[in-house]
């Protein structure tokens, strides 16, 4: 009997305890439901579209239809399986996320009992950019969400509220009273990383209401409260100059050096958003630059820093391309750069052609034709005068003293060889031995002198100009000229080769086919100086490099330390741009700072600061170029330019020597061996005319 009574008492006690526990669970679900509905109401005031992600446990927890103001709310719902795999996600899940993002959904309510499944979902959607990380998030608190591998997530998803439940018991006289409390937490920004990511308390749900009932999605990017943000730097003109190194740790109040557009922008952004920039240069950044993805799935350069999430900003003149958008968040473009080639200048050193330089080809043809025509004209004119006038006088037997006087000097042109020699001598302003008396010949000679004077003056003036003017330069200024050239081309950017290869322009495709990758910029420019390479970069950097090289060249000339300096080529920047490339500042992928930074960059552009900073960066190059222009070649004739004259006299000596040898050989082997030759009667041998007057 005693055992039966004891059994009934135990059964009654456990029954009451079980009923109490079940009742408390129901109360817990009701409280959780009330809290979530309260936060959803707050979210609906800021967004008209919500994506619900739930599992089998919490699928029916919230009935959105009963939430106040949900009538005009767009809703997407994703139900995850307990064994959901995101290495090969379901197409339906991916489609819902893509569609929701396309229409501008920026609110996510994620109610999943398994914290590990929640973390896998966040990692997948964030890496694939399937969710708007700058939107509003509501999640259930789970310690597995704050593991070290998710730390970067909470630097990108910052507008988040975690619902955290506590189960506590208070001891009172004679028993235990269940007392439930629900806290609302969020994350710090930048996220505080210890062993686990730290969270921040914002509110409590207690006895059916929120204790503070404030705005739980506070804007965290307006004022960062002097927190430090890491900034990776790759020095590249005009984004960041070498002078900026002195200001990494100290920011003097007065400075005159140009630090670069992006460096100046970060200075302004840091002041406006109230954070401390912590600059650093990644290891081997000068050789790796932006970086590439290697065959073993590792990264280098700035891309490696972005993939690892080591910095909030990345400075380095980043091109606004799809490849970079895979690794960075890029601000709005602050500048557009002309990407072109640094090419060697070929000098047309033709001073050895000094005698023919004054006139062009067709001018020389006209002059030579005139010379031939003039000498023949003198010959036929004199011959006609001699035959017709003298023959007529002789026939009429009226040859008088005055007639003989009129035909004096005509013998100069009655023989073709003499006519040619005397005609050409007048061209060189050599006076005739005797001026012919016939007026027809005299008039022709007068106009021939006028012609000779005009030609001689033009020749002298043109030769003076050829001696005084700088040497003509042959440059490559278009892609078509570059494609036809046998000179190699290349650059350090991997995207550049692909850009040329996929272009619809045949010249660009040909350039892409011979495009080479170069890591060392100094070696590439040295190859350009040697005339065997064309270097691809933005026009600002190429202009800077050209000026530096010109200074080095002038120093070498002054010191005379370089042999074969004349083999070096001047540098020329191709006039045609391969592409006008937008340039932007790099940020951490899915960075919550982007909207605020974009607004500040846009304001700097509109106020003209970017243009001013660009002018500061290029000021040194401009001033140096102006100074070099004042020291440029003057109208001076040196021995190098007179080499044509020496070539002419050398050619004359050589021809004279050849003619002399020929005459000696002719005298010895032909004249002396002739049986009619008699040194005592040379007049008979040569049959010299005794009357050469006419």
């Amino acid at each position: 009997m005693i055992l039966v009574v004891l059994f009934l008492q135990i059964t009654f006690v456990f029954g009451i305890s079980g009923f109490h526990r079940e009742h408390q669970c129901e109360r817990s679900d009701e409280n959780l439901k009330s809290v979530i509905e309260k936060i959803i109401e707050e979210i609906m005031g800021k967004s008209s579209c919500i994506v619900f992600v739930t599992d089998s446990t919490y699928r029916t927890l919230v009935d959105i239809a009963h939430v106040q103001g949900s009538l005009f709310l767009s809703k997407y719902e994703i139900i995850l399986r307990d064994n959901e795999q995101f290495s090969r996600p379901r197409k339906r899940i991916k489609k819902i996320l893509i569609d929701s993002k396309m229409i501008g959904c920026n609110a996510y309510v994620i109610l999943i009992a398994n914290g590990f499944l929640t973390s896998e979902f966040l990692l997948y959607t964030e890496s694939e950019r399937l969710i708007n990380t700058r939107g509003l998030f509501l999640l259930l608190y789970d310690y597995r969400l704050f593991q070290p591998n998710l730390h970067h997530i909470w630097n990108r998803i910052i507008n988040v509220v975690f619902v955290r439940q506590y189960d506590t018991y208070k001891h009172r006289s004679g028993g235990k009273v269940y007392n439930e409390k629900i806290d609302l937490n969020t994350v710090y920004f930048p996220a505080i990383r210890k062993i686990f990511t730290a969270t921040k308390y914002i509110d409590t749900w207690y006895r059916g209401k929120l204790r503070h009932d404030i705005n739980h999605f506070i804007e965290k990017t307006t004022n960062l409260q002097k927190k430090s943000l890491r900034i990776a730097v790759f020095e590249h003109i005009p984004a960041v100059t070498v002078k900026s190194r002195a200001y990494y740790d100290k920011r003097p109040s007065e400075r005159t050096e140009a630090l670069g557009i992006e460096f100046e922008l970060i200075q302004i952004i840091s002041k406006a958003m109230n954070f401390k920039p912590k600059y650093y240069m990644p290891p081997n950044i000068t050789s790796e630059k932006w970086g590439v993805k290697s065959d073993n799935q590792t990264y280098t350069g700035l891309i490696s820093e972005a993939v690892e999430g080591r910095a909030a900003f990345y400075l380095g003149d980043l091109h606004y391309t799809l490849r970079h958008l895979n690794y960075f968040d890029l601000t709005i473009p602050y500048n557009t750069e002309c990407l072109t080639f640094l090419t060697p200048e070929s000098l047309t050193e033709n001073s050895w052609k000094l005698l023919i330089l004054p006139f062009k080809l067709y001018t020389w043809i006209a002059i030579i034709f005139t010379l031939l025509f003039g000498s023949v004209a003198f010959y036929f004119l004199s011959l006609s005068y001699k035959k017709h006038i003298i023959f007529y006088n002789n026939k009429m037997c009226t040859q008088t003293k005055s007639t003989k006087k009129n035909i004096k000097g005509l013998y100069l042109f009655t023989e073709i060889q003499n006519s040619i020699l005397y005609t050409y001598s007048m061209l060189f302003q050599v006076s005739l031995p005797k001026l012919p008396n016939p007026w027809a010949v005299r008039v022709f000679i007068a106009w021939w002198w006028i012609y000779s004077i005009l030609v001689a003056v033009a020749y002298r003036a043109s030769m003076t100009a050829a001696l005084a003017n700088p040497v003509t330069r042959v440059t490559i200024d278009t892609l078509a000229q570059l494609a036809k050239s046998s000179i190699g081309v290349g650059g350090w950017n991997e995207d550049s080769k692909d850009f040329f290869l996929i272009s619809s322009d045949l010249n660009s495709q040909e350039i892409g086919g011979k495009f080479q990758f170069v890591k060392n910029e100094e070696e590439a420019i040295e190859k350009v100086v040697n005339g065997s390479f064309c270097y691809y970069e933005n026009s600002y950097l190429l202009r800077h490099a050209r000026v530096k090289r010109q200074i080095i060249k002038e120093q070498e000339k002054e010191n005379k330390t370089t042999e074969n300096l004349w083999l070096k080529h001047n540098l020329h920047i191709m006039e045609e741009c391969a592409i006008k490339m937008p340039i932007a500042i790099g940020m951490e992928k899915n960075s919550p700072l982007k909207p605020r930074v974009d607004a500040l960059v846009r304001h700097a552009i509109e106020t003209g600061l970017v243009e001013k900073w660009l002018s500061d960066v290029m000021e040194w190059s401009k001033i140096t170029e102006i100074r070099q222009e004042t020291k440029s070649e003057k109208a001076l004739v040196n021995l190098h330019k007179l080499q044509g004259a020496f070539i002419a006299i050398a050619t004359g000596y050589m021809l004279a020597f050849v003619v002399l040898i020929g005459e000696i050989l002719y005298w010895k082997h032909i004249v002396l061996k002739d049986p009619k030759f008699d040194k005592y009667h040379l007049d008979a041998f040569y049959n010299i005319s005794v009357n050469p007057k006419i």
Side-chain angles (χ1 to χ4, degrees), residues 145-147 150-151 154 187 191-199:
L145 297 177
F146 307 103
Q147 299 288 338
L150 271 81
H151 178 76
W154 309 122
V187 292
I192 300 175
R193 185 172 186 175
K194 298 178 182 177
I195 299 177
F196 297 98
T197 303
T199 59

Side-chain angles (χ1 to χ4, degrees), residues 297-319:
Q297 303 300 312
T298 59
Y299 299 87
T300 59
L302 279 184
I303 292 179
S304 174
E305 299 295 305
V307 171
E308 297 296 330
R310 296 194 183 106
F313 292 90
Y314 301 89
L315 309 185
D317 207 45
L318 290 171
H319 295 172

